[in-house]
Amino acid sequence: MAIGAESVIAALVGVLYLLQSDSHGGEGGLGWLFGTMFALVLLAVISMIAGLAVSAMAVLPLVLLGRVVARRTGRRDSWQLTLATVAVGAVALALLIGSCMLLAGFGDLLVYPILALSPFVGLAPAALCARAAGNPGKPGARWRVLGGVALGGLGLLAVTLAVGVAAYSSGILKIYEPPLLMEADMVGVWTDGDGGSLRFEADGTVTAEGVNEYEATGEQSGACNGTGTWQLAENEGVGRPLELSIADCESPSFGWDIGGTEEHPTVFTWIGEPDSGQRYILTRQTTMPWDGPAED
């Protein structure tokens, strides 16, 4: 149960953090918010099931190993020994996985401390709770620990939510909003950094060169080359701020959106479903292409 509570709180922190980012949802708004709340509830259920599996495969064996070490060495079974056992297990796991990653060419030496710290932070609270719940000298300890974890988890969840709401309400953190661009801001060349570009003209025409096209599954289906039209929506409340149509080019299922910041705006379309989090992004060039020598 402790692992499930940790997972839900970590997910809530992730959601609160993503509210600042321009990739926090396909359409945003209440629909995205309710979808997120449903996802948190679903995550809670899945986390409880996964927590039972992790407890059986990792937490309980580590607690039992600590007790065996205590008996063999003549030491008293203590919470410090439980933490030491978890630490040894985390380091052993980090050495195994980290070595495999380095041999495969992924990462550097920093993977070792990261891989060791992550399971220790995740398993240590659960191991301490399991040790306390299984204490033979304290009848009813299991139910007291279970109640404490439930109340503590709900309390931390409420505090995390309250701190997040307060941070956004006070302006310390700000929910992301796309930049409000004028037509003049759109004029120019926007590139994907890999040879694809859109050139927006002041007369409402747009030229695409090598712009990626994607199927509904998210697979790239080709490249778009052609000329079409573009315009910005007049109402700020519309769901699609940028309307773009190019002949002989497959229109993205979710159209084009404006993202980024006022200083570094982007135009993007979702790859596959918006909840996949994958986007095809083009960034405005800071300098215009050289059109030729200046006249004297």
Side-chain angles (χ1 to χ4, degrees):
M1 189 171 183
I3 294 177
E6 292 178 42
S7 300
V8 174
I9 293 172
L12 179 59
V13 172
V15 169
L16 292 173
Y17 175 79
L18 284 177
L19 287 174
Q20 306 175 83
S21 170
D22 65 345
S23 60
H24 62 69
E27 298 296 330
L30 290 177
W32 178 84
L33 181 60
F34 286 129
T36 301
M37 293 298 103
F38 174 78
L40 283 174
V41 174
L42 182 61
L43 176 63
V45 176
I46 296 176
S47 297
M48 294 304 171
I49 299 174
L52 292 175
V54 174
S55 296
M57 293 185 295
V59 175
L60 293 179
L62 288 172
V63 173
L64 294 176
L65 178 60
R67 289 176 176 170
V68 170
V69 172
R71 287 197 301 268
R72 294 293 180 87
T73 59
R75 298 182 179 180
R76 182 175 62 87
D77 181 21
S78 63
W79 64 267
Q80 294 93 335
L81 184 58
T82 299
L83 287 182
T85 305
V86 174
V88 171
V91 170
L93 185 64
L95 289 174
L96 176 61
I97 298 178
S99 299
C100 292
M101 291 178 62
L102 291 180
L103 288 175
F106 297 104
D108 50 31
L109 293 178
L110 285 177
V111 300
Y112 287 114
I114 294 174
L115 289 174
L117 185 61
S118 299
F120 178 79
V121 172
L123 295 177
L128 292 175
C129 290
R131 176 188 172 276
N135 191 334
K138 295 183 178 180
R142 178 176 303 176
W143 298 109
R144 287 195 295 272
V145 171
L146 183 62
V149 170
L151 292 177
L154 290 175
L156 286 175
L157 188 65
V159 169
T160 302
L161 182 60
V163 170
V165 171
Y168 281 107
S169 300
S170 62
I172 298 176
L173 300 177
K174 293 184 179 180
I175 296 178
Y176 172 80
E177 293 182 359
L180 297 176
L181 302 183
M182 306 297 290
E183 280 77 5
D185 299 319
M186 296 295 300
V187 174
V189 179
W190 302 63
T191 65
D192 61 6
D194 195 30
S197 67
L198 288 170
R199 183 183 184 108
F200 294 93
E201 305 289 353
D203 60 1
T205 60
V206 59
T207 302
E209 293 184 4
V211 174
N212 293 348
E213 294 179 314
Y214 295 91
E215 298 177 355
T217 58
E219 296 293 330
Q220 184 175 347
S221 58
C224 168
N225 295 280
T227 302
T229 60
W230 71 274
Q231 66 175 359
L232 293 178
E234 296 182 0
N235 298 324
E236 297 180 4
V238 299
R240 189 67 58 200
L242 172 63
E243 296 179 9
L244 188 152
S245 175
I246 304 175
D248 300 327
C249 290
E250 182 179 348
S251 298
S253 302
F254 297 94
W256 291 87
D257 278 301
I258 294 175
T261 63
E262 297 285 350
E263 295 78 15
H264 303 286
T266 64
V267 295
F268 69 89
T269 184
W270 294 99
I271 299 176
E273 296 294 332
D275 57 10
S276 69
Q278 297 183 349
R279 299 178 297 165
Y280 176 55
I281 302 174
L282 293 92
T283 305
R284 185 178 62 186
Q285 290 189 185
T286 55
T287 56
M288 295 296 294
W290 186 60
D291 293 325
E295 297 181 0
D296 296 330

